[in-house]
Amino acid sequence: MMAIKEKATISLDAQTKRDGIAILDAMGLNLSTFAEMSLRQLVRDGRLPFTPSVRPSFEKDN
């Protein structure tokens, strides 16, 4: 039996959304699939599926 999907809404700035979708398109994925993959990994591992970091250019600006 297939699980019933629920809708979720997120707010993103337009440029981040465009850039992310372009990268995901190149990988053959869409934003919804990426969000589900990330959440599944978060639930499975009990931690973020990436290591948060600050880019050096951001550090210099602040």
Side-chain angles (χ1 to χ4, degrees), residues 24-50:
L24 290 168
D25 281 346
M27 296 177 172
L29 299 170
N30 61 40
L31 191 54
S32 182
T33 300
F34 174 72
E36 184 167 357
M37 289 169 55
S38 297
L39 285 170
R40 286 180 179 269
Q41 192 167 348
L42 172 72
V43 169
R44 185 191 69 206
D45 297 342
R47 61 181 180 83
L48 293 175
F50 55 87

Side-chain angles (χ1 to χ4, degrees), residues 1-60:
M1 187 166 123
M2 196 167 172
I4 297 173
K5 299 275 184 169
E6 291 189 17
K7 292 204 179 271
T9 302
I10 60 171
S11 296
L12 303 167
D13 68 85
Q15 189 62 52
T16 299
K17 181 180 175 186
R18 280 192 297 272
D19 293 347
I21 287 173
I23 294 166
L24 290 168
D25 281 346
M27 296 177 172
L29 299 170
N30 61 40
L31 191 54
S32 182
T33 300
F34 174 72
E36 184 167 357
M37 289 169 55
S38 297
L39 285 170
R40 286 180 179 269
Q41 192 167 348
L42 172 72
V43 169
R44 185 191 69 206
D45 297 342
R47 61 181 180 83
L48 293 175
F50 55 87
T51 302
S53 63
V54 176
R55 292 188 314 202
S57 62
F58 180 78
E59 290 174 338
K60 290 177 195 173

